[in-house]
Amino acid sequence: VASESESAYYDARNFKVIGTLALNAEQPFSRIPDEYKDTLRKELWDLGLNSAGIAVRFATDTKTLRVKWKSHNSFNMNHMTATGIRGLDLYTLQDDSTWTFLNSARPNLHKAVTTAKLASNLPDKGMREYMLYLSLYDGVDSLEIGVDSLAHISAGNVNLPVCEKPIVMYGTSILQGGCATRPGMAHTNIIQRKLNREVINLGFSGNARLDLPIAQLMASVDAACYVIDPLPNCTSDILKERLAEFYKIIRQARPQTPIIFVESPLFPIMRFDEEVNNTITEKNATLRSIYDGFAAAGDTNIYYFKGEDVFSGNPELTVDNYHLTDYGFTLFAEKLIPVINKAIK
């Protein structure tokens, strides 16, 4: 086994980067192409630099695996773990083509640059396939993968997750991954592994307000389906003002691609806050009315996901009555996957 001093580090951009629409962006591991910078609100652009949903696919026969990365903002939040905000998460492909968790890389809380060991004493098995998820609530300015000095490393030989026709998901802080304990537990990443199909995470914390340039960005992707899930950041007035045009932009560019509309979850706080209960109930009713209009106009490639299906009455799935725990994300993914499968098939 090679010692630490014998490790060789490789720029992760040399391998296969998935989950981004901006492979050639000036900022490494950005989610949004540079040409959108002047057309998006600053808040959206800055959030687009968060690396939520981005992963690096590679293969190596190393016995010891390390990573070295620099966080873009190095910030913290009081309701989400540092491993979820700006850590990394490693999965490996099994013989049955499913992904299994190997380890998470915990960030240095006092410095922007972290070096972490993710695996050691790995059994000899030739080239293993890996997927390394990047941070959910921070950007990654640089990322290197460290392997034994004599080990081989490549972009991988298996096209999993399948990257042709990705699933494009748009939404709020929840969709971005708040408050998963580590990147792999965001429901978008769970869905990606379960379906073995690339997912594009267009979650924008606090800022999913149906900005039309985002619809144009989504429409630029030859997707398997689109998931539209912005209600926690929208008012009923915003839905009435913008959703039809947002939908129209996508539908005119992609007339046959399925679109899934997602209601706001019925958050636990609704049981105890009458104003929140009334607001969410009204927004969901507004979405349903607009959706029914699309269906009445003849669109047969639209699907509807009810907010009551997310929690199914279970109040123990959030950190703060809104943002999900890992358990909440797991159940959300399990409920949404059949709808996605139906839409795609």
Side-chain angles (χ1 to χ4, degrees):
V1 178
S3 66
E4 184 170 359
S5 62
E6 294 173 312
S7 292
Y9 282 88
Y10 298 85
D11 189 331
R13 291 175 296 177
N14 292 331
F15 306 116
K16 186 176 182 179
V17 180
I18 65 174
T20 177
L21 301 178
L23 284 173
N24 299 313
E26 181 178 350
Q27 172 68 30
F29 312 112
S30 169
R31 293 184 286 162
I32 300 177
D34 290 343
E35 58 264 31
Y36 281 80
K37 185 173 184 178
D38 296 330
T39 61
L40 288 177
R41 289 185 289 116
K42 183 180 186 303
E43 295 88 348
L44 273 177
W45 175 257
D46 289 345
L47 286 164
L49 300 179
N50 296 167
S51 53
I54 298 178
V56 178
R57 280 282 287 110
F58 64 97
T60 177
D61 57 0
T62 189
K63 301 276 286 184
T64 304
L65 184 61
R66 295 179 172 86
V67 286
K68 182 190 300 181
W69 80 101
K70 181 178 184 295
S71 297
H72 186 62
N73 294 309
S74 299
F75 71 100
N76 298 296
M77 294 188 286
N78 63 9
H79 65 332
M80 185 171 174
T81 65
T83 46
I85 295 170
R86 50 193 175 102
L88 309 178
D89 220 357
L90 184 66
Y91 283 74
T92 186
L93 192 66
Q94 302 182 106
D95 291 339
D96 62 357
S97 296
T98 61
W99 294 94
T100 189
F101 172 68
L102 200 157
N103 202 359
S104 61
R106 290 173 284 180
N108 189 317
L109 297 182
H110 307 291
K111 297 180 181 179
V113 177
T114 300
T115 301
K117 183 190 292 185
L118 282 169
S120 58
N121 304 312
L122 286 163
D124 290 325
K125 196 185 175 183
M127 297 289 281
R128 274 189 176 83
E129 301 277 341
Y130 293 97
M131 181 157 57
L132 181 67
Y133 284 113
L134 275 57
S135 311
L136 294 171
Y137 261 78
D138 205 337
V140 175
D141 286 346
S142 63
L143 172 62
E144 295 176 274
I145 298 170
V147 299
D148 301 337
S149 58
L150 299 180
H152 303 89
I153 185 168
S154 71
N157 299 312
V158 181
N159 184 32
L160 292 175
V162 173
C163 293
E164 293 74 23
K165 288 188 172 290
I167 299 163
V168 179
M169 302 181 66
Y170 166 66
T172 67
S173 54
I174 297 171
L175 197 137
Q176 185 173 336
C179 291
T181 59
R182 50 185 180 81
M185 292 311 298
H187 70 303
T188 55
N189 290 338
I190 295 172
I191 290 168
Q192 176 173 269
R193 293 194 304 278
K194 293 291 187 182
L195 297 182
N196 248 334
R197 184 185 293 267
E198 182 182 20
V199 172
I200 305 296
N201 182 319
L202 294 177
F204 300 101
S205 183
N207 281 274
R209 300 174 193 157
L210 296 170
D211 294 76
L212 299 184
I214 297 298
Q216 294 164 359
L217 176 61
M218 295 173 70
S220 71
V221 184
D222 182 15
C225 72
Y226 304 100
V227 178
I228 299 177
D229 183 13
L231 262 65
N233 290 167
C234 289
T235 62
S236 287
D237 286 342
I238 288 177
L239 290 171
K240 293 172 184 175
E241 292 168 7
R242 301 181 186 176
L243 182 55
E245 185 62 25
F246 194 96
Y247 155 84
K248 182 180 178 181
I249 289 170
I250 296 174
R251 186 47 85 223
Q252 286 185 337
R254 306 290 178 179
Q256 301 299 323
T257 305
I259 301 175
I260 301 169
F261 294 89
V262 179
E263 283 187 349
S264 172
L266 302 187
F267 294 111
I269 192 62
M270 293 172 67
R271 299 170 297 158
F272 305 110
D273 190 315
E274 187 175 3
E275 182 178 346
V276 171
N277 179 73
N278 292 341
T279 298
I280 291 176
T281 300
E282 177 191 4
K283 288 195 293 186
N284 285 347
T286 299
L287 177 66
R288 184 73 211 201
S289 176
I290 296 170
Y291 169 89
D292 287 343
F294 298 153
D299 194 335
T300 59
N301 282 318
I302 53 175
Y303 298 82
Y304 198 81
F305 185 83
K306 294 181 179 180
E308 63 191 31
D309 292 339
V310 179
F311 298 126
S312 300
N314 187 336
E316 302 287 1
L317 306 181
T318 73
V319 173
D320 54 4
N321 276 313
Y322 294 102
H323 297 95
L324 304 187
T325 62
D326 291 355
Y327 183 36
F329 277 122
T330 299
L331 291 186
F332 197 176
E334 289 177 354
K335 300 293 182 59
L336 196 50
I337 282 172
V339 183
I340 292 173
N341 270 331
K342 182 179 179 181
I344 291 175
K345 292 177 180 177

